[in-house]
Amino acid sequence: MSPPNSAPTVAVPLAAVPAVAAQPAYRRILLKLSGEALMGDEAYGIKRETIDRIVAEIAEVVRLGVQIAVVIGGGNIFRGVAPGAAGMDRATADYIGMLATLMNALALQDALRRAGVESRVQSALRIDQVAEPYIRGREMNVDVVLKATKVDGVYTADPMKDAAAKRYSTLTFDEAIVKNLKVMDATALALCRDQKMLLKVFSIFVPGALKRVVLGEDEGTLVHC
C-alpha cells in the first residue's frame, strides 16, 4: 500500500494494551499524521504536550483492541531547513525529508513507550540502529485510512473563509475529485478509489475524535467508492 520511499510507520501491536468492552467499527487502521500536528502552537519542531495528547488518544484506541499503523510526515522539521534546500538536488532534498519523518517516528515511539504502548518503527531508509527495514509483506491490510487534519472533515468550501460551508458526512472519491474538494491530491484519491479503500478525514485537534471515528460515530467525513 505504501510506495518504496514511504514515510516511517509506527505499528502498534494488538496485544500492546489489554482490550476493553467497547466494540470498534474498525479492527485495523492506518493513521496518517502530518508532522505539523506535532508542533502544537510552535513555529516548528515538536511540542511535548501536543505529542503526549496525541499519544494518549492513540493508546485509548489501542485499548479497544484496535491495531494501528501510523504514517507520519516531517513538515514540522523540514520547514526549518527548507530555505537552505532551495536549489538542492531533488533526491538529496527528499532524503532530508525522509530523515525528518524518521525523527518524528522515533519521537512518537518514545512517547508511546512512556504511555505503556509497545510500538516498532519501520523505514524504507535503512538506519538499522534505530528502525526496522520496511518490508511490503508486513502490511496490515487495514480496514480504513484515517487522515488527521486541522479541520474536522471535508467541507463544501473552506470553513475558515466561508461561514456557510457545510461538512460532508459521507462523500465518494469521484465527487471529491470532480468537485476539487482538496481532500488530498487527485492521484492519491484515484489510487484509494481503485483499491476500494475507505478514507476518513477528521481533526486530530478535537479531543476524543480518534476514538469516535474508530467506534463508527458521525465524526469527520467518510470518503468511499
PDB file of all heavy atoms in Angstrom, residues 13-24 27 59-67:
ATOM      1  N   PRO A  13       1.142  -3.125  18.117  1.00  0.00           N
ATOM      2  CA  PRO A  13       0.601  -4.481  18.135  1.00  0.00           C
ATOM      3  C   PRO A  13      -0.717  -4.563  18.872  1.00  0.00           C
ATOM      4  O   PRO A  13      -0.995  -3.789  19.796  1.00  0.00           O
ATOM      5  CB  PRO A  13       1.685  -5.278  18.882  1.00  0.00           C
ATOM      6  CG  PRO A  13       2.912  -4.439  18.791  1.00  0.00           C
ATOM      7  CD  PRO A  13       2.436  -3.030  18.774  1.00  0.00           C
ATOM      8  N   LEU A  14      -1.539  -5.537  18.483  1.00  0.00           N
ATOM      9  CA  LEU A  14      -2.849  -5.724  19.083  1.00  0.00           C
ATOM     10  C   LEU A  14      -2.756  -5.999  20.568  1.00  0.00           C
ATOM     11  O   LEU A  14      -3.568  -5.530  21.352  1.00  0.00           O
ATOM     12  CB  LEU A  14      -3.559  -6.894  18.383  1.00  0.00           C
ATOM     13  CG  LEU A  14      -4.934  -7.304  18.914  1.00  0.00           C
ATOM     14  CD1 LEU A  14      -5.913  -6.156  18.747  1.00  0.00           C
ATOM     15  CD2 LEU A  14      -5.451  -8.535  18.196  1.00  0.00           C
ATOM     16  N   ALA A  15      -1.740  -6.729  20.979  1.00  0.00           N
ATOM     17  CA  ALA A  15      -1.648  -7.139  22.376  1.00  0.00           C
ATOM     18  C   ALA A  15      -0.913  -6.135  23.242  1.00  0.00           C
ATOM     19  O   ALA A  15      -0.625  -6.395  24.397  1.00  0.00           O
ATOM     20  CB  ALA A  15      -0.942  -8.493  22.468  1.00  0.00           C
ATOM     21  N   ALA A  16      -0.639  -4.933  22.711  1.00  0.00           N
ATOM     22  CA  ALA A  16       0.157  -3.970  23.459  1.00  0.00           C
ATOM     23  C   ALA A  16      -0.540  -3.535  24.735  1.00  0.00           C
ATOM     24  O   ALA A  16       0.078  -3.332  25.765  1.00  0.00           O
ATOM     25  CB  ALA A  16       0.470  -2.759  22.582  1.00  0.00           C
ATOM     26  N   VAL A  17      -1.867  -3.333  24.663  1.00  0.00           N
ATOM     27  CA  VAL A  17      -2.635  -2.893  25.817  1.00  0.00           C
ATOM     28  C   VAL A  17      -3.880  -3.770  25.898  1.00  0.00           C
ATOM     29  O   VAL A  17      -4.502  -4.052  24.872  1.00  0.00           O
ATOM     30  CB  VAL A  17      -3.043  -1.402  25.669  1.00  0.00           C
ATOM     31  CG1 VAL A  17      -3.809  -0.941  26.911  1.00  0.00           C
ATOM     32  CG2 VAL A  17      -1.815  -0.526  25.479  1.00  0.00           C
ATOM     33  N   PRO A  18      -4.293  -4.197  27.077  1.00  0.00           N
ATOM     34  CA  PRO A  18      -5.466  -5.057  27.191  1.00  0.00           C
ATOM     35  C   PRO A  18      -6.704  -4.388  26.615  1.00  0.00           C
ATOM     36  O   PRO A  18      -6.937  -3.196  26.781  1.00  0.00           O
ATOM     37  CB  PRO A  18      -5.599  -5.249  28.714  1.00  0.00           C
ATOM     38  CG  PRO A  18      -4.231  -5.015  29.247  1.00  0.00           C
ATOM     39  CD  PRO A  18      -3.641  -3.973  28.372  1.00  0.00           C
ATOM     40  N   ALA A  19      -7.526  -5.169  25.900  1.00  0.00           N
ATOM     41  CA  ALA A  19      -8.746  -4.641  25.306  1.00  0.00           C
ATOM     42  C   ALA A  19      -9.837  -4.473  26.356  1.00  0.00           C
ATOM     43  O   ALA A  19      -9.837  -5.112  27.397  1.00  0.00           O
ATOM     44  CB  ALA A  19      -9.229  -5.582  24.200  1.00  0.00           C
ATOM     45  N   VAL A  20     -10.783  -3.565  26.079  1.00  0.00           N
ATOM     46  CA  VAL A  20     -11.917  -3.354  26.964  1.00  0.00           C
ATOM     47  C   VAL A  20     -13.184  -3.683  26.195  1.00  0.00           C
ATOM     48  O   VAL A  20     -13.156  -4.127  25.061  1.00  0.00           O
ATOM     49  CB  VAL A  20     -11.940  -1.898  27.486  1.00  0.00           C
ATOM     50  CG1 VAL A  20     -10.759  -1.659  28.395  1.00  0.00           C
ATOM     51  CG2 VAL A  20     -11.936  -0.896  26.344  1.00  0.00           C
ATOM     52  N   ALA A  21     -14.342  -3.412  26.815  1.00  0.00           N
ATOM     53  CA  ALA A  21     -15.599  -3.927  26.295  1.00  0.00           C
ATOM     54  C   ALA A  21     -16.094  -3.247  25.022  1.00  0.00           C
ATOM     55  O   ALA A  21     -16.845  -3.838  24.268  1.00  0.00           O
ATOM     56  CB  ALA A  21     -16.664  -3.826  27.382  1.00  0.00           C
ATOM     57  N   ALA A  22     -15.736  -1.975  24.782  1.00  0.00           N
ATOM     58  CA  ALA A  22     -16.273  -1.253  23.631  1.00  0.00           C
ATOM     59  C   ALA A  22     -15.981  -1.987  22.336  1.00  0.00           C
ATOM     60  O   ALA A  22     -14.942  -2.617  22.186  1.00  0.00           O
ATOM     61  CB  ALA A  22     -15.687   0.150  23.586  1.00  0.00           C
ATOM     62  N   GLN A  23     -16.933  -1.916  21.405  1.00  0.00           N
ATOM     63  CA  GLN A  23     -16.797  -2.618  20.138  1.00  0.00           C
ATOM     64  C   GLN A  23     -16.493  -1.632  19.008  1.00  0.00           C
ATOM     65  O   GLN A  23     -17.368  -0.894  18.572  1.00  0.00           O
ATOM     66  CB  GLN A  23     -18.081  -3.392  19.827  1.00  0.00           C
ATOM     67  CG  GLN A  23     -18.398  -4.504  20.817  1.00  0.00           C
ATOM     68  CD  GLN A  23     -17.294  -5.544  20.862  1.00  0.00           C
ATOM     69  OE1 GLN A  23     -16.835  -5.995  19.821  1.00  0.00           O
ATOM     70  NE2 GLN A  23     -16.886  -5.931  22.056  1.00  0.00           N
ATOM     71  N   PRO A  24     -15.263  -1.592  18.516  1.00  0.00           N
ATOM     72  CA  PRO A  24     -14.910  -0.668  17.446  1.00  0.00           C
ATOM     73  C   PRO A  24     -15.489  -1.087  16.109  1.00  0.00           C
ATOM     74  O   PRO A  24     -15.726  -2.270  15.860  1.00  0.00           O
ATOM     75  CB  PRO A  24     -13.380  -0.718  17.432  1.00  0.00           C
ATOM     76  CG  PRO A  24     -13.047  -2.072  17.974  1.00  0.00           C
ATOM     77  CD  PRO A  24     -14.106  -2.372  18.990  1.00  0.00           C
ATOM     78  N   ARG A  27     -11.080  -2.739  12.963  1.00  0.00           N
ATOM     79  CA  ARG A  27     -10.126  -3.501  13.764  1.00  0.00           C
ATOM     80  C   ARG A  27      -8.675  -3.168  13.418  1.00  0.00           C
ATOM     81  O   ARG A  27      -7.791  -3.346  14.239  1.00  0.00           O
ATOM     82  CB  ARG A  27     -10.365  -5.004  13.562  1.00  0.00           C
ATOM     83  CG  ARG A  27     -11.626  -5.506  14.239  1.00  0.00           C
ATOM     84  CD  ARG A  27     -11.533  -5.377  15.742  1.00  0.00           C
ATOM     85  NE  ARG A  27     -12.742  -5.834  16.416  1.00  0.00           N
ATOM     86  CZ  ARG A  27     -12.890  -5.835  17.737  1.00  0.00           C
ATOM     87  NH1 ARG A  27     -11.909  -5.388  18.502  1.00  0.00           N
ATOM     88  NH2 ARG A  27     -14.002  -6.257  18.275  1.00  0.00           N
ATOM     89  N   ALA A  59      -3.362   5.556  22.441  1.00  0.00           N
ATOM     90  CA  ALA A  59      -3.368   4.498  23.453  1.00  0.00           C
ATOM     91  C   ALA A  59      -4.790   4.092  23.817  1.00  0.00           C
ATOM     92  O   ALA A  59      -5.074   2.905  24.028  1.00  0.00           O
ATOM     93  CB  ALA A  59      -2.610   4.965  24.698  1.00  0.00           C
ATOM     94  N   GLU A  60      -5.687   5.067  23.879  1.00  0.00           N
ATOM     95  CA  GLU A  60      -7.083   4.759  24.211  1.00  0.00           C
ATOM     96  C   GLU A  60      -7.719   3.878  23.136  1.00  0.00           C
ATOM     97  O   GLU A  60      -8.484   2.967  23.436  1.00  0.00           O
ATOM     98  CB  GLU A  60      -7.873   6.057  24.363  1.00  0.00           C
ATOM     99  CG  GLU A  60      -9.281   5.854  24.895  1.00  0.00           C
ATOM    100  CD  GLU A  60      -9.994   7.149  25.187  1.00  0.00           C
ATOM    101  OE1 GLU A  60      -9.523   8.214  24.738  1.00  0.00           O
ATOM    102  OE2 GLU A  60     -11.046   7.102  25.865  1.00  0.00           O
ATOM    103  N   VAL A  61      -7.382   4.130  21.883  1.00  0.00           N
ATOM    104  CA  VAL A  61      -7.906   3.311  20.788  1.00  0.00           C
ATOM    105  C   VAL A  61      -7.293   1.921  20.811  1.00  0.00           C
ATOM    106  O   VAL A  61      -7.975   0.917  20.551  1.00  0.00           O
ATOM    107  CB  VAL A  61      -7.646   4.009  19.432  1.00  0.00           C
ATOM    108  CG1 VAL A  61      -7.965   3.088  18.279  1.00  0.00           C
ATOM    109  CG2 VAL A  61      -8.483   5.287  19.329  1.00  0.00           C
ATOM    110  N   VAL A  62      -6.003   1.815  21.137  1.00  0.00           N
ATOM    111  CA  VAL A  62      -5.359   0.505  21.251  1.00  0.00           C
ATOM    112  C   VAL A  62      -6.056  -0.325  22.324  1.00  0.00           C
ATOM    113  O   VAL A  62      -6.219  -1.538  22.176  1.00  0.00           O
ATOM    114  CB  VAL A  62      -3.860   0.668  21.569  1.00  0.00           C
ATOM    115  CG1 VAL A  62      -3.220  -0.676  21.890  1.00  0.00           C
ATOM    116  CG2 VAL A  62      -3.142   1.319  20.403  1.00  0.00           C
ATOM    117  N   ARG A  63      -6.502   0.328  23.384  1.00  0.00           N
ATOM    118  CA  ARG A  63      -7.199  -0.389  24.456  1.00  0.00           C
ATOM    119  C   ARG A  63      -8.539  -0.951  23.997  1.00  0.00           C
ATOM    120  O   ARG A  63      -9.121  -1.818  24.664  1.00  0.00           O
ATOM    121  CB  ARG A  63      -7.402   0.522  25.665  1.00  0.00           C
ATOM    122  CG  ARG A  63      -6.099   0.915  26.344  1.00  0.00           C
ATOM    123  CD  ARG A  63      -6.319   1.665  27.645  1.00  0.00           C
ATOM    124  NE  ARG A  63      -5.056   2.104  28.183  1.00  0.00           N
ATOM    125  CZ  ARG A  63      -4.569   3.332  28.065  1.00  0.00           C
ATOM    126  NH1 ARG A  63      -5.282   4.265  27.430  1.00  0.00           N
ATOM    127  NH2 ARG A  63      -3.402   3.656  28.571  1.00  0.00           N
ATOM    128  N   LEU A  64      -9.039  -0.474  22.875  1.00  0.00           N
ATOM    129  CA  LEU A  64     -10.262  -1.035  22.311  1.00  0.00           C
ATOM    130  C   LEU A  64      -9.988  -2.329  21.559  1.00  0.00           C
ATOM    131  O   LEU A  64     -10.903  -2.982  21.077  1.00  0.00           O
ATOM    132  CB  LEU A  64     -10.907  -0.021  21.355  1.00  0.00           C
ATOM    133  CG  LEU A  64     -11.371   1.313  21.947  1.00  0.00           C
ATOM    134  CD1 LEU A  64     -11.878   2.224  20.836  1.00  0.00           C
ATOM    135  CD2 LEU A  64     -12.449   1.091  23.003  1.00  0.00           C
ATOM    136  N   GLY A  65      -8.712  -2.695  21.439  1.00  0.00           N
ATOM    137  CA  GLY A  65      -8.350  -3.896  20.710  1.00  0.00           C
ATOM    138  C   GLY A  65      -8.066  -3.636  19.247  1.00  0.00           C
ATOM    139  O   GLY A  65      -8.110  -4.550  18.427  1.00  0.00           O
ATOM    140  N   VAL A  66      -7.770  -2.379  18.893  1.00  0.00           N
ATOM    141  CA  VAL A  66      -7.541  -1.988  17.506  1.00  0.00           C
ATOM    142  C   VAL A  66      -6.049  -1.986  17.203  1.00  0.00           C
ATOM    143  O   VAL A  66      -5.242  -1.515  18.008  1.00  0.00           O
ATOM    144  CB  VAL A  66      -8.121  -0.586  17.236  1.00  0.00           C
ATOM    145  CG1 VAL A  66      -7.819  -0.130  15.816  1.00  0.00           C
ATOM    146  CG2 VAL A  66      -9.624  -0.579  17.483  1.00  0.00           C
ATOM    147  N   GLN A  67      -5.670  -2.527  16.044  1.00  0.00           N
ATOM    148  CA  GLN A  67      -4.288  -2.458  15.580  1.00  0.00           C
ATOM    149  C   GLN A  67      -4.113  -1.165  14.784  1.00  0.00           C
ATOM    150  O   GLN A  67      -4.947  -0.822  13.944  1.00  0.00           O
ATOM    151  CB  GLN A  67      -3.963  -3.653  14.694  1.00  0.00           C
ATOM    152  CG  GLN A  67      -3.942  -4.978  15.443  1.00  0.00           C
ATOM    153  CD  GLN A  67      -3.610  -6.143  14.532  1.00  0.00           C
ATOM    154  OE1 GLN A  67      -4.064  -6.173  13.395  1.00  0.00           O
ATOM    155  NE2 GLN A  67      -2.837  -7.085  15.025  1.00  0.00           N
TER     156      GLN A  67
END
